[in-house]
Amino acid sequence: MPTTATILEAVGSYIDSNSATLTIGTNLFLAKMPDTPDLCVTVYEYQGFSPMETFGATGFEIDKPSIQVVVRGARDDYPTARNLAQDLRILLAALTDTTVNGLRVVRLASNGSVLSLGVDDLDRPRIAFNLDCFVDA
């Protein structure tokens, strides 16, 4: 049986494939933000909502995890980080009824607007947005 990507891997792969400037392992990361480079993006997975249950073999049909995308900008460059976060939010909202690395993504729904997480200890701005995900179980 082929391995199916997690929502974290699928979203990372989708961003990598659909962005001219972001590459996994270079300036796009999954689950952990490294100290460098200054301008980078990290996708985090966190608990979402209860799955849609059925009486089928798996017990549920649609899983509903959530993700947070965090963009860190260069020191004192809030506008670049915010613009990139907004562009990514729009890109990911367009991801509907698509299979990415074996995972069928029904929909990624924005859970609010982009928001500031403040700055890190090197005064680099951090901007985030959250998405509720609906994927085949």
Side-chain angles (χ1 to χ4, degrees):
M1 183 168 161
T3 302
T4 300
T6 65
I7 188 62
L8 193 66
E9 294 163 332
V11 169
S13 178
Y14 186 80
I15 292 171
D16 188 320
S17 297
N18 290 280
S19 169
T21 59
L22 296 171
T23 304
I24 290 178
T26 302
N27 57 359
L28 173 60
F29 304 96
L30 306 178
K32 184 177 180 183
M33 185 174 281
D35 293 334
T36 59
D38 287 340
L39 180 60
C40 66
V41 174
T42 301
V43 182
Y44 298 95
E45 182 177 18
Y46 63 96
Q47 182 178 3
F49 299 93
S50 298
M52 292 175 61
E53 296 184 21
T54 65
F55 292 103
T58 63
F60 50 90
E61 183 177 346
I62 301 291
D63 203 8
K64 298 188 271 184
S66 294
I67 60 170
Q68 182 174 64
V69 179
V70 179
V71 177
R72 182 180 65 210
R75 184 181 180 129
D76 299 325
D77 190 5
Y78 182 91
T80 299
R82 194 199 186 285
N83 289 339
L84 180 54
Q86 184 61 25
D87 290 346
L88 289 171
R89 183 172 169 251
I90 292 167
L91 173 72
L92 293 175
L95 180 55
T96 58
D97 200 19
T98 303
T99 299
V100 181
N101 293 357
L103 181 68
R104 182 171 167 261
V105 178
V106 177
R107 179 160 189 234
L108 299 181
S110 182
N111 182 354
S113 59
V114 297
L115 66 140
S116 173
L117 298 178
V119 296
D120 68 6
D121 30 336
L122 297 176
D123 288 329
R124 298 176 293 189
R126 294 175 301 136
I127 312 299
F129 62 93
N130 299 314
L131 296 166
D132 296 327
C133 309
F134 298 84
V135 299
D136 271 352

